[in-house]
Amino acid sequence: MSALGRRRFLANALVVSFVLSGRGLAQDKKLPPSLAKTPHLDSWIRVNADGRVTVFTGKAELGQGIRTALTQVAAHELAMPPAGIDLITADTDLTPDEGVTAGSHSMQDSGTAILNAAANVRALLAEAAAWQFAIAADQIVMRDGAAHAPDGRRIGYGDLAAGLSLEVQAEPDMPRREGGTSVIGQNLPRLDIPAKVSGGQAYVQDIRLPGMLHARVVRGPSDGTKVKAADIAAVEKMPGVVKVVREGGFMAVVADQEWRAVKALHRLQAAGWERSAPPIPASDLRETIRRLPAEQVTIFDYPGPPSPADARTIRARYSRPHLMHGSVGPSCAVAQWANGRMTVWTHSQGVYPLRKALAELLRLEPQRVRCIHVEGAGCYGHNGADDVAADAALAARAVPGKPVRLQWMREQEHGWEPLGSAMVVELAAELDAQNRIAGWRHEVWSNTHSTRPTTAGGLLAGGELDPPFATPKPRPIPMPEGGGARNGNPIYALPNARGTFHFVEQMPARVSALRGLGAQMNVFAIESFMDELAAATGADPVAFRLAWLKDERARDVVRTAADRFGWPARRKGGDGVGTGFAFARYKNLATHCAVALEVRVDRDTGEIRVPRVVAAVDSGEAVNPDGIRNQIEGGIVQSLSWTTLEAVGFDKTHRASFDWSAYPILRFPAVPGRVEVHVIDRPGEPFLGAGEAAQGPAAAALGNAVADALGVRLRDMPLSPQRVKAALRPVRAEPHQAAG
Amino acid sequence: MDAITPPAPASFDRYLVAEGEDLAKLGNCAGCHTAEPSRPLAGGRAMPTPFGKVFATNITPHAEDGIGAWSREAFGRALRRGIARNGEHLYPAFPYDHFTRATDQELEALYAWLMTRRPIAGRAPETKLAGIFGFRPVVAAWNLINLDEGPLADDRQQSPSWNRGRALVEGLAHCGGCHTPRDRFGAEDRSHAFDGARIEGWYAPPINARSPAVRPWTADELYVYLRTGLGPMHAAAAGPMGGVTRALAQVPDTDVRAIAVYVASLMAGAPAARQDKAEPVDRLADVQRAHPEAATLFAGACATCHEPGAPMMQQGRPHLAWGTPLHEDNANDTIAIIMKGLVSPAGATGPTMPAFADMLDDRQVQELAVYLRARFTDKPPWADVGGAIAEARQGEHK
Amino acid sequence: MITLTVNGKAHQVEVDPDTPLLYVLRNELALNGAKFGCGLGQCGACTVLLDDKPVFSCLVPVAALGARKVRTLEGLQANGKPGPLPSAFEAEQAAQCGYCIAGMIVRAQALLEKNPRPTEEEVRSHLAPNLCRCGTHMRILRAVRRAAEAMGGGVRDVAEQTP
Ligand code: FES
Ligand code: FES
């Protein structure tokens, strides 16, 4: 009996009624999580009378190309051209709740859900067609948005749908469409790019509503500070200023024109500022994090015999500073308070969690808050998007009826966005007499990697109102995903290996999720250390990894990157020229990514150049290989920027990295000469997100290449010219050194 | 002196080489001898003198085109006495009158560092000077009158740091190379040491008792400025000084402190040192009336960084009224900064400012400069703003 | 009332004369191309052409324009079709979030108009004022190369791939 056998069609009206017992039937089979949460098909897919199909996703386009990839998935499974599909992304009034768009989960969650929902809808359409043509359903061929009978009769989806209700629950395990041309695996051009290269409306920053006002929020230079009392009456008299909004410690200025709001902002800021939080303990916080009280969490414990007594121990300590998302476009939102409802256009990664937090902040029923996702500039994690949505909502509530557009200034983005936490990793390994790894210890110190708002206290404005909403206590994210511990569990089949996460609750600076979370640091440490062990045993770094890597897909990725790079024939490191290799599987359960690269280090200036990078990646079935390449290329370049240049600096009172001069990132002259990405397609395997997979391997490959080039290893990021120079400088042993 | 076969890099002690690197940075050798970053020390940069351009030569250890064939003795003679290996006299644009102060040990280290660089082929264009100054023997005569050879003796009245500072400032760091005006021979005019001088369209302000600084320079403030390129009470290092501070960011701390101590002592008699201004001058209301067009330009182009309440000001960057350039006797630095901006090399943290040369036209730049002078200083208007703008534009097309 | 010429058309706007050109383009003329990235002349997201020279529109007061002509990304489309640079960016799929792309295209346009056969190093140093946080640089370089060829020139000295 086909999966649809349980459905029955009424004879004279083309209305599908659904046997309710169907809900309970498939207890052994499970819907993919997103679909299980929102099981009605019409929450995902609607077929319009004209044959166009609207697909709904709870995920958001963040510039990662998800709009295109999800459209491809739907088009493939519905057997229709992608151009016939309209995709609606995250909107609390319209789309399913799929939480946040993060952790490279979008393809896995929404892609799988849409794939299944579309398979259900296709089957329903086919069955409807079979009934119309009065033939068996398996005779029907679905193609180009229509059902075809063997005798040439054809009926379009629009006509079929006229009498079909999709208000039914999805069935688990619907077979995927087979045969025919597939749009999955094709490099469908990104749907969002034409508007972006022609000046079309593409971003929340571009929204212009009739009667819209412009606002700016007024804060001190960075988290933990506040502005002093300003002459508000004078500012309210400035031309075009509509209102200075004040609620408790929250302040924003609303004006008729954007520039007038900026001028008013500067006037308000001129009053000066003070620190409201305790002083910042150091200009670089990694040592602070290492020393603060921490909660010990075991992250993995692989059994094995204790290492032999004659084993030699190798230890190393790695670290990274606080890092910034540093989106090129500062966070922005448009909000409107009308008819007892607050509507917010936002580039938040989670419209539903944001709605919940905003409702609490505004003391409204959640149903009276609507959050609509509109693209912003690249986000790379929890940046100012949610905070600015709250700022805009508070400003809008003060001018009922009027839409208010509020964008942060550059220095506010730099000063207030939650940073990626500084981290320290200490590794120790025991090598036995045969140079095999006989024991492994991984210890990692870090603040939390998620303070994403789910309550009003998680929003900046929430802490500024009177009374303030309490900031939620950060908790470590459990493995296998992990936060600071993410990818702390080595993928290598190591015996007698244990890892501890030292979760530091106290946050000397505001932090949250940054692309890859702890993975970048943990992979940098593990993959640097693998090279150090390979060197200690005289092994080739790639061969050494393969010796401990059991997973076949992982091995394939490693071998592909090595082959395409020409690893065996690479030139011997030295004289400032070197090559490096690194591998990781993101979270040990998502995309596999290996990176090989070449560096040239200028021994005089300490600058590192990267003439060539080769990466191999396996993210399951590749829906849009070029999209994956784009993500990996971007991840590599961004990670090289983090690893060679970036560090948030602090003063006792504030973040000193307030703009691009104080927080430089990679610019054109220093980006790699060439980046090649090889995608290994695995048709039929689950989709795995690729967005964050390159951060760790790129960082570690760079570190390994620099060590190869200089003969000295740098273990503290960034591998800045100063650090390179310092590492190269010979240190004369003190002639009268005291013993010990 | 006889040519030698370039010594093998490995023959030099690596500690000595590292010392030499510090000295080369203190002396900012690369500042003049590097034209293209990809060809470090291969020469090519032109130094304008009243008689024509003097081209910095290739000082990489290339045997034919650089100094690879120079023995340690030949190198020492060049630095101490300004005589090349082949016996020719070097032009005083090469500051051997300063380098002569270097100790033997320092020369040793510098030599070791230079001889272990990457040899690069290619010669700088030949220097051809107008009139009699084309004849190197004239330089020899100049040397006879002016050159006082060898290191300075310590002044026992002063601290070791001051003495070290003097040795560097008067010696390898050759601060006078920019801050002392030059005489007819293109050499520094010692009777006006550190009185300030024009340099490549910029103005290196006086760093003695004539310093135009509005607030006193303390040794601590100078130290921060020399190390970071930014003095919160004075200014950001611009133009050629930007390169100097980036080099000084990499040398031993004690040397930078010593330079700061000595230069602070040179400026001890400056007006600011005697009378500290507590409040910045800001005659906003008056100037707005007198220069409405410039006030608009300032509000749209400059205020976003420089008006109180702007982010940069929140970070404690200098108020424009504290900025030395506006208080100098000529408009060159102000104009040059507006038109060329302040460029930090890619990737480095440091003060930056975009160049306004393409954003504003000459008349607007002129208006703005006049406005800034009137608003943020109590000094009389500058005489030749137009000339400074023309000079800056000229530099653009080179 | 201030008059300015943008993409060959004269406009009159009612704004404070110190308003930076960027805000006028976006809010008064409804042109989305130039973006606010920093307002400090550090990122290039707001790049437009002022009499053929690339400038940061966030720092040009509209009153300072005088008779000078402004061209924006929107002005690089010919008869409703994308010009060589926008089409090359599309062909190379040279965008992730795309927020920086308008500025990149406009700045590249200035270079190729002046120098149809730049070296890769010249392209890189010419684009240095513009930031991209997504790391789309490699594709942007490819797009500029493709556009240069489409315009009858080309990019010289492209770094060879040496295994
Ligand atoms: S927005 Fe103008 S340069 Fe950044
Ligand atoms: S594509 Fe996102 S900033 Fe460039």
Side-chain angles (χ1 to χ4, degrees):
Chain A
M1 198 192 232
S2 88
L4 280 167
R6 297 185 300 274
R7 294 169 209 244
R8 203 179 40 182
F9 296 89
L10 298 179
N12 34 12
L14 258 182
V15 173
V16 182
S17 87
F18 189 58
V19 180
L20 283 175
S21 64
R23 207 189 282 150
L25 273 181
Q27 261 148 4
D28 46 335
K29 297 167 175 177
K30 275 223 262 342
L31 287 171
S34 275
L35 203 50
K37 191 165 169 193
T38 311
H40 282 99
L41 291 178
D42 67 348
S43 304
W44 298 91
I45 293 171
R46 281 175 218 167
V47 183
N48 308 323
D50 62 358
R52 292 191 67 77
V53 169
T54 311
V55 176
F56 301 86
T57 171
K59 298 291 181 182
E61 174 67 57
L62 308 173
Q64 83 282 44
I66 198 75
R67 171 179 292 281
T68 311
L70 291 178
T71 301
Q72 281 175 267
V73 168
H76 168 83
E77 212 44 52
L78 288 167
M80 63 183 293
I85 290 179
D86 301 303
L87 185 83
I88 309 280
T89 57
D91 177 337
T92 55
D93 268 14
L94 300 176
T95 67
D97 177 359
E98 290 193 84
V100 290
T101 305
S104 300
H105 268 294
S106 301
M107 284 313 291
Q108 216 168 309
D109 295 353
S110 207
T112 312
I114 289 173
L115 187 79
N116 274 267
N120 270 276
V121 170
R122 178 175 44 75
L124 284 173
L125 290 167
E127 204 139 319
W131 180 83
Q132 272 222 350
F133 294 149
I135 56 175
D138 57 11
Q139 303 269 292
I140 301 281
V141 174
M142 308 293 270
R143 167 162 38 86
D144 292 336
H148 300 257
D151 58 7
R153 281 180 297 167
R154 170 190 183 283
I155 181 164
Y157 290 175
D159 295 329
L160 281 174
L164 189 67
S165 169
L166 295 180
E167 215 185 322
V168 296
Q169 297 213 355
E171 294 282 325
D173 276 356
M174 288 300 293
R176 276 180 64 175
R177 184 170 77 90
E178 273 169 30
T181 53
S182 174
V183 67
I184 288 185
Q186 302 293 310
N187 292 324
L188 183 70
R190 283 250 307 272
L191 303 168
D192 53 331
I193 288 184
K196 291 175 176 176
V197 300
S198 64
Q201 200 226 287
Y203 305 94
V204 67
Q205 285 89 347
D206 300 337
I207 290 179
R208 264 173 235 105
L209 297 174
M212 188 172 82
L213 300 173
H214 291 273
R216 287 293 181 276
V217 66
V218 190
R219 296 200 160 99
S222 63
D223 65 292
T225 70
K226 58 175 197 225
V227 281
K228 290 188 181 153
D231 185 354
I232 298 197
V235 172
E236 277 187 319
K237 284 198 206 82
M238 289 174 74
V241 171
V242 174
K243 193 166 201 163
V244 176
V245 181
R246 273 188 307 163
E247 284 196 43
F250 172 83
M251 191 178 349
V253 55
V254 185
D256 59 349
Q257 290 182 1
E258 193 174 4
W259 176 242
R260 288 175 158 177
V262 173
K263 284 195 283 190
L265 166 73
H266 286 161
R267 195 58 177 276
L268 289 163
Q269 281 179 175
W273 56 274
E274 58 204 1
R275 181 149 188 90
S276 49
I280 300 173
S283 62
D284 183 320
L285 292 171
R286 59 191 112 186
E287 277 307 314
T288 310
I289 300 279
R290 170 75 179 73
R291 275 196 236 109
L292 281 170
E295 171 185 337
Q296 265 58 254
V297 184
T298 298
I299 49 179
F300 65 96
D301 192 345
Y302 302 161
S307 4
D310 61 347
R312 56 183 172 138
T313 306
I314 305 219
R315 292 173 198 282
R317 182 175 195 268
Y318 307 86
S319 72
R320 83 164 200 194
H322 277 78
L323 295 175
M324 216 175 258
H325 301 78
S327 191
V328 163
S331 298
C332 180
V334 178
Q336 186 169 22
W337 171 240
N339 310 321
R341 256 201 127 192
M342 180 66 74
T343 307
V344 184
W345 289 266
T346 168
H347 55 109
S348 164
Q349 289 174 279
V351 288
Y352 277 94
L354 175 63
R355 176 175 78 164
K356 180 169 169 278
L358 285 180
E360 188 188 351
L361 183 84
L362 303 168
R363 301 186 190 285
L364 291 171
E365 303 275 290
Q367 293 74 2
R368 299 180 57 186
V369 177
R370 177 181 183 185
C371 293
I372 305 169
H373 183 269
V374 186
E375 252 192 274
C379 98
Y380 333 112
H382 176 198
N383 60 10
D386 300 283
D387 296 311
V388 81
D391 297 344
L394 287 173
R397 194 167 60 174
V399 285
K402 299 274 190 193
V404 173
R405 177 186 181 278
L406 192 153
Q407 184 164 20
W408 276 6
M409 303 299 286
R410 164 50 48 206
E411 60 279 8
Q412 292 177 325
E413 191 76 30
H414 268 60
W416 292 88
E417 66 145 82
L419 306 169
S421 176
M423 297 178 73
V424 176
V425 171
E426 289 178 4
L427 281 167
E430 271 113 44
L431 293 173
D432 66 15
Q434 289 75 47
N435 273 336
R436 295 182 52 83
I437 300 172
W440 179 279
R441 296 291 174 277
H442 185 116
E443 312 231 17
V444 47
W445 286 259
S446 170
N447 270 157
T448 181
H449 286 259
S450 179
T451 58
R452 286 184 188 281
T454 50
T455 61
L459 298 162
L460 281 179
E464 290 167 341
L465 296 186
D466 186 20
F469 289 90
T471 317
K473 232 168 109 84
R475 292 298 311 143
I477 303 171
M479 294 300 275
E481 299 260 327
R486 181 169 292 181
N487 275 92
N489 44 342
I491 192 162
Y492 302 104
L494 301 173
N496 180 24
R498 255 180 297 287
T500 308
F501 177 31
H502 304 261
F503 174 74
V504 180
E505 188 182 311
Q506 243 180 78
M507 287 175 274
R510 186 178 192 225
V511 292
S512 191
L514 171 67
R515 198 174 190 178
L517 279 57
Q520 189 247 2
M521 178 69 227
N522 284 316
V523 171
F524 176 80
I526 292 173
E527 289 297 286
S528 296
F529 199 52
M530 285 300 277
D531 260 37
E532 300 201 45
L533 296 180
T537 61
D540 171 79
V542 171
F544 188 73
R545 282 175 175 77
L546 286 171
W548 292 100
L549 201 52
K550 297 289 167 260
D551 182 274
E552 264 318 310
R553 278 169 70 177
R555 296 173 64 85
D556 251 11
V557 169
V558 166
R559 281 189 297 246
T560 305
D563 284 356
R564 299 296 182 117
F565 183 79
W567 184 260
R570 74 192 187 283
R571 73 173 263 192
K572 191 172 144 29
D575 252 354
V577 182
T579 47
F581 191 95
F583 167 79
R585 178 173 194 195
Y586 188 46
K587 301 186 235 177
N588 284 357
L589 45 79
T591 292
H592 302 262
C593 178
V595 173
L597 56 75
E598 180 187 332
V599 296
R600 273 156 216 264
V601 187
D602 185 322
R603 301 178 71 101
D604 286 337
T605 64
E607 274 165 36
I608 300 168
R609 286 285 178 274
V610 182
R612 199 165 71 95
V613 186
V614 174
V617 50
D618 167 354
S619 48
E621 176 158 14
V623 173
N624 188 325
D626 190 58
I628 295 170
R629 270 197 292 275
N630 204 350
Q631 283 292 291
I632 298 291
E633 277 173 37
I636 288 170
V637 172
Q638 188 181 67
S639 181
L640 293 179
S641 181
W642 291 359
T643 312
T644 55
L645 291 179
E646 297 180 29
V648 177
F650 300 89
D651 215 311
K652 280 194 177 50
T653 54
H654 64 287
R655 279 187 209 169
S657 304
F658 72 109
D659 69 355
W660 296 120
S661 76
Y663 189 81
I665 61 172
L666 217 55
R667 289 182 185 263
F668 271 98
V671 297
R674 292 286 165 269
V675 178
E676 273 171 57
V677 178
H678 301 279
V679 176
I680 301 175
D681 192 3
R682 301 280 182 193
E685 290 291 338
F687 308 137
L688 302 170
E692 298 161 295
Q695 308 309 108
L702 183 94
N704 290 337
V706 170
D708 187 45
L710 302 180
V712 191
R713 181 163 291 273
L714 284 95
R715 299 186 183 89
D716 301 305
M717 290 185 261
L719 281 60
S720 62
Q722 295 84 310
R723 282 210 172 81
V724 170
K725 289 297 291 176
L728 285 175
R729 196 178 176 92
V731 189
R732 219 191 273 273
E734 288 298 320
H736 303 297
Q737 224 169 14
Chain B
M1 291 187 184
D2 286 342
I4 59 163
T5 315
S11 65
F12 292 94
D13 173 58
R14 61 200 184 103
Y15 301 105
L16 193 65
V17 172
E19 250 165 65
E21 175 166 358
D22 291 340
L23 296 168
K25 290 209 167 107
L26 279 162
N28 196 19
C29 303
C32 286
H33 288 276
T34 300
E36 301 159 43
S38 59
R39 294 167 45 79
L41 305 176
R45 182 164 166 177
M47 284 269 278
T49 75
F51 320 102
K53 285 180 194 157
V54 175
F55 287 91
T57 52
N58 182 338
I59 54 167
T60 70
H62 192 273
E64 288 83 44
D65 299 342
I67 58 168
W70 294 35
S71 62
R72 163 70 182 83
E73 290 66 39
F75 177 75
R77 185 176 71 173
L79 268 82
R80 281 269 162 77
R81 294 169 55 200
I83 299 170
R85 185 187 62 77
N86 64 5
E88 265 182 359
H89 281 272
L90 298 165
Y91 296 103
F94 172 65
Y96 55 87
D97 49 336
H98 290 286
F99 296 165
T100 193
R101 305 292 184 216
T103 62
D104 286 345
Q105 160 75 17
E106 286 171 335
L107 291 179
E108 198 78 48
L110 256 183
Y111 181 72
W113 183 74
L114 281 168
M115 294 314 250
T116 49
R117 298 307 88 199
R118 174 163 62 96
I120 298 173
R123 283 171 173 269
E126 205 178 319
T127 297
K128 292 201 188 78
L129 298 190
I132 59 155
F133 300 103
F135 297 103
R136 292 183 187 261
V138 177
V139 179
W142 181 90
N143 283 349
L144 224 52
I145 308 163
N146 293 284
L147 190 63
D148 155 28
E149 240 183 85
L152 292 165
D154 274 2
D155 179 342
R156 310 240 155 189
Q157 309 286 296
Q158 300 284 353
S159 67
S161 181
W162 184 93
N163 275 304
R164 173 67 179 155
R166 183 181 62 159
L168 287 168
V169 169
E170 307 287 350
L172 277 176
H174 69 290
C175 305
C178 292
H179 290 274
T180 297
R182 290 184 184 261
D183 63 16
R184 292 176 300 134
F185 300 89
E188 286 171 35
D189 179 353
R190 283 311 162 90
S191 59
H192 291 284
F194 305 119
D195 271 0
R198 297 287 180 84
I199 165 110
E200 298 174 30
W202 296 81
Y203 179 66
I207 51 168
N208 54 19
R210 300 161 59 114
S211 162
V214 215
R215 310 207 64 187
W217 274 109
T218 64
D220 282 346
E221 283 169 355
L222 270 168
Y223 166 78
V224 170
Y225 172 80
L226 293 171
R227 256 300 199 222
T228 64
L230 188 70
M233 282 303 157
H234 297 90
M241 192 64 194
V244 173
T245 57
R246 286 192 288 275
L248 291 182
Q250 302 169 42
V251 305
D253 206 60
T254 46
D255 283 345
V256 183
R257 283 207 181 273
I259 293 175
V261 165
Y262 178 67
V263 174
S265 80
L266 290 177
M267 291 198 285
R274 283 174 269 139
Q275 182 198 10
D276 193 355
K277 271 204 179 68
E279 286 298 319
V281 175
D282 189 348
R283 302 194 302 205
L284 176 61
D286 304 350
V287 220
Q288 217 145 15
R289 244 171 287 123
H291 306 276
E293 187 194 346
T296 299
L297 292 174
F298 184 85
C302 318
T304 205
C305 290
H306 292 293
E307 199 74 90
M312 209 171 89
M313 306 305 288
Q314 286 191 312
Q315 295 284 333
R317 294 288 169 89
H319 191 288
L320 278 179
W322 301 139
T324 308
L326 289 178
H327 297 269
E328 289 167 359
D329 288 345
N330 58 68
N332 286 61
D333 280 349
T334 298
I335 295 296
I337 293 174
I338 294 176
M339 294 180 69
K340 301 176 186 171
L342 274 185
V343 209
S344 267
T349 313
T352 60
M353 170 167 150
F356 281 86
D358 294 338
M359 295 196 252
L360 302 175
D361 65 24
D362 289 359
R363 198 185 48 77
Q364 290 164 342
V365 173
Q366 167 139 10
E367 287 279 325
L368 206 49
V370 170
Y371 167 91
L372 292 169
R373 175 85 162 178
R375 180 174 164 187
F376 294 111
T377 80
D378 39 24
K379 300 249 161 72
W382 280 309
D384 190 16
V385 180
I389 294 176
E391 217 175 292
R393 282 273 179 228
Q394 240 174 28
E396 245 179 72
H397 301 300
K398 264 191 281 184
Chain C
M1 201 69 110
I2 291 169
T3 307
L4 68 162
T5 311
V6 179
N7 300 330
K9 244 179 80 189
H11 298 268
Q12 299 207 314
V13 292
E14 195 96 48
V15 294
D16 297 347
D18 57 11
T19 309
L21 174 59
L22 173 66
Y23 296 94
V24 174
L25 295 172
R26 294 186 57 80
N27 300 336
E28 309 305 317
L29 307 184
L31 296 171
N32 294 319
K35 301 282 191 298
F36 178 87
C38 66
L40 306 168
Q42 298 177 345
C43 77
C46 65
T47 306
V48 302
L49 299 176
L50 199 52
D51 280 351
D52 307 333
K53 296 234 173 81
V55 299
F56 304 123
S57 67
C58 65
L59 291 178
V60 181
V62 66
L65 289 176
R68 293 185 291 172
K69 293 184 181 52
V70 180
R71 274 190 296 158
T72 69
L73 173 68
E74 289 84 351
L76 305 184
Q77 328 283 320
N79 321 320
K81 285 218 195 82
L85 268 158
S87 5
F89 272 69
E90 224 183 303
E92 293 291 346
Q93 294 283 289
Q96 286 177 67
C97 79
Y99 198 88
C100 68
I101 293 299
M104 296 287 179
I105 292 179
V106 172
R107 188 169 296 275
Q109 177 84 17
L111 173 68
L112 295 184
E113 282 178 8
K114 214 174 77 188
N115 179 4
R117 298 188 58 76
T119 62
E120 166 136 349
E121 209 179 310
E122 284 167 339
V123 175
R124 286 175 181 242
S125 71
H126 178 88
L127 292 177
N130 287 31
L131 291 178
C132 174
R133 186 51 160 166
C134 295
T136 311
H137 304 75
M138 310 316 299
R139 286 172 184 242
I140 293 170
L141 290 169
R142 288 209 291 273
V144 173
R145 228 174 287 150
R146 179 189 278 260
E149 279 158 27
M151 290 161 83
V155 174
R156 297 176 290 131
D157 302 343
V158 175
E160 287 303 320
Q161 291 203 23
T162 42

